[in-house]
């Protein structure tokens, strides 16, 4: 659950929802392509690491900060 909040954007309402959708989608994609192995966990960790490097406030938080958040995700 923490990964979903970090990926989507902590401190936002839409962030955990977007994070949950993305984590589940990435997990299903990795299981389908890589199989249920340690590589799946490594790929998920790599996605999280890249997200924290390029989107330090999460995806929704960073987009909102730069004024590029789509209106349908602005739940404030």
């Amino acid at each position: 659950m923490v990964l979903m909040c970090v990926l989507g954007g902590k401190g936002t309402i839409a962030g955990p929802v977007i994070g949950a959708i993305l984590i589940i989608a990435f997990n299903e994609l990795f299981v389908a392509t890589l199989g249920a192995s340690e590589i799946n966990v490594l790929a998920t960790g790599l996605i999280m690491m890249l997200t924290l490097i390029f989107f330090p406030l999460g995806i929704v938080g960073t987009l909102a900060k730069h004024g590029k958040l789509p209106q349908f995700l602005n739940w404030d």
Side-chain angles (χ1 to χ4, degrees), residues 5-12 51-52 54-66:
C5 293
V6 170
L7 180 65
K10 50 191 182 241
T12 64
T51 301
L52 288 174
F54 293 108
F55 299 102
L57 299 174
I59 294 172
V60 174
T62 303
L63 290 175
K65 180 181 175 185
H66 294 293

Side-chain angles (χ1 to χ4, degrees), residues 12-27:
T12 64
I13 298 172
V17 175
I18 299 299
I21 292 169
L22 290 175
I23 286 287
I24 291 171
F26 284 137
N27 191 29

